[in-house]
Each structure stands twice: as C-alpha cells, then as structure tokens.
Amino acid sequence: GAVVSQHPSRVICKSGTSVKIECRSLDFQATTMFWYRQFPKQSLMLMATSNEGSKATYEQGVEKDKFLINHASLTLSTLTVTSAHPEDSSFYICSARDAQGSNQPQHFGDGTRLSIL
Amino acid sequence: GQNIDQPTEMTATEGAIVQINCTYQTSGFNGLFWYQQHAGEAPTFLSYNVLDGLEEKGRFSSFLSRSKGYSYLLLKELQMKDSASYLCAPSTPGNMLTFGGGTRLMVKP
C-alpha cells in the first residue's frame, strides 16, 4: 500500500487563489520531505527540502515567498502555492524518506495536478 | 554540479530483454536509485545500488560501477505494462536525489 499520501490529487482554481497541498508519511517518520515539480514531458525538478522543525531549503530560482512550506510534524509537510497564476500550473509531487536506517529510498506521493485558469 | 545521461527513448518487444544505461557525475555519491514513472503518475521505487555489482529483484536487475559513474537497469520478460519512463537518480549526501530526463520505454506486442 501507499506509504506516502498526498492530497489533493487535482486542483482547478482561478488565478490569484492560494492552494495548499498536504504530504503525509503513513507508517514511518520523516524528518525530511522533498517537494518536486514536473512540467509535461520534463524531468522532476526539486523545488525544496522540507525539514521538520526548521525552515525549508529552497533550490535556486524557487521563490520561498510564493511556495510556502511547513513541516510541523514528523509525518506531515504542506506546500502552499500563494496567489497562483497560470504559469504555476504543473504536477507537484512530494516524497519522504524513513528517518530510521540508512540508504532508505524516497517514497513518492501520488502527486497533485494543479491547473490555474 | 550534477549531470545524468540516459537515452531519451527506447523501444522493445513484449517478452524481450532491455537494458537502460545511465551515466552520472555528482558532487558526492550515496548510492543510485532507479524509479519507474507511468505517464501522469508519480514515480515508484524500483531498485537501489550503493556497492558495485548487480542487484536482482524479480524481472528487474540493476547494476552499478562507482568508478565508472555508470549504472544500468535490466528488464526481462517485458510486459506491455512495463511501458513507462525509467528514472536514474543518484543520491548525494543528505539523501538528495537528482533526476535526469528519464528514458521513455515503449513495449510493443
């Protein structure tokens, strides 16, 4: 079964709306979660690393004030796309890694398809 | 910086064997993951190599040569459902994954 749950799976909303996406690790604790974005037929691009109890680390070119990340517990990280515009339309995917043990794979959520009209 | 090179597309026949190669250059190395991604879906974990050699897992096997910065994914007894993108993802310290463009595999009857 799924070890990482991501909601919602699809969002369609008007330009200027803020959208919140949740990522939960279901049966393990994740001190670190990752947020990716994927445009059609392109590779996964890491947006930011979400760290439990501290500030997220953003990749170059990703606006931290636009993509707000909160990692309030060991099983939940949220990504809020603030004042979304059509160019933010994309497939957003989170991943999490079990904090216990080394060399654990990142497990991905099912992704959120965001469409801004 | 990070650099990953794998073929963009491959085509193979149902029941056959296909090998997807990947070369990589990373700043630090903590193992290499292979993921499968069907169109419109999130990636799913296939395999992980940290030591040189072959790891076998059912119909899928993955090989790593750290000194050469080279890995391959071997798929045997291909099925139509294996049509997907296959992502080679080296892991760097801090367990950061870097994804290339992936290899789009098309399995034909």
Side-chain angles (χ1 to χ4, degrees):
Chain A
V3 295
V4 174
S5 172
Q6 184 175 341
H7 291 284
S9 58
R10 183 167 183 105
V11 180
I12 301 173
C13 58
K14 293 180 180 179
S15 186
T17 306
S18 291
V19 178
K20 185 188 232 182
I21 303 170
E22 290 190 350
C23 181
R24 293 179 186 274
S25 58
L26 297 181
D27 52 7
F28 62 92
Q29 293 184 331
T31 52
T32 304
M33 293 186 178
F34 301 90
W35 287 97
Y36 295 86
R37 180 166 54 182
Q38 187 175 36
F39 292 105
K41 296 190 178 181
Q42 294 188 21
S43 61
L44 282 162
M45 296 300 296
L46 179 66
M47 297 176 66
T49 302
S50 172
N51 304 298
E52 188 269 334
S54 64
K55 290 183 180 179
T57 305
Y58 289 82
E59 295 301 299
Q60 193 172 8
V62 178
E63 299 175 56
K64 62 180 181 181
D65 294 330
K66 182 166 183 67
F67 298 101
L68 301 178
I69 291 172
N70 184 278
H71 195 151
S73 77
L74 286 171
T75 59
L76 173 64
S77 175
T78 60
L79 168 68
T80 301
V81 184
T82 61
S83 187
H85 291 285
E87 58 266 28
D88 298 322
S89 298
S90 188
F91 190 44
Y92 292 84
I93 314 172
C94 72
S95 73
R97 177 185 161 274
D98 193 336
Q100 295 293 324
S102 60
N103 305 327
Q104 295 287 335
Q106 287 185 27
H107 294 283
F108 288 84
D110 287 338
T112 298
R113 193 161 301 283
L114 177 62
S115 300
I116 307 298
L117 307 177
Chain B
Q2 329 287 12
N3 188 39
I4 299 162
D5 191 26
Q6 51 181 128
T8 306
E9 287 188 356
M10 297 182 72
T11 302
T13 305
E14 191 175 15
I17 298 173
V18 71
Q19 178 174 312
I20 302 173
N21 296 321
C22 171
T23 57
Y24 62 89
Q25 292 176 311
T26 58
S27 303
F29 181 76
N30 198 34
L32 188 138
F33 292 86
W34 282 94
Y35 285 84
Q36 179 191 60
Q37 186 178 25
H38 283 99
E41 299 180 10
T44 55
F45 168 71
L46 287 180
S47 69
Y48 172 70
N49 294 68
V50 65
L51 300 176
D52 285 358
L54 189 68
E55 293 281 342
E56 297 189 71
K57 214 178 193 182
R59 293 191 299 115
F60 294 0
S61 303
S62 56
F63 172 84
L64 177 68
S65 169
R66 295 175 66 130
S67 61
K68 295 181 180 178
Y70 168 69
S71 175
Y72 68 72
L73 181 70
L74 191 72
L75 293 78
K76 302 176 188 175
E77 300 169 20
L78 280 174
Q79 301 175 10
M80 299 298 291
K81 68 178 182 180
D82 296 330
S83 294
S85 288
Y86 290 87
L87 312 177
C88 167
S91 174
T92 53
N95 296 293
M96 305 281 289
L97 293 183
T98 302
F99 290 92
T103 298
R104 194 173 304 116
L105 174 66
M106 289 173 281
V107 180
K108 296 187 174 179

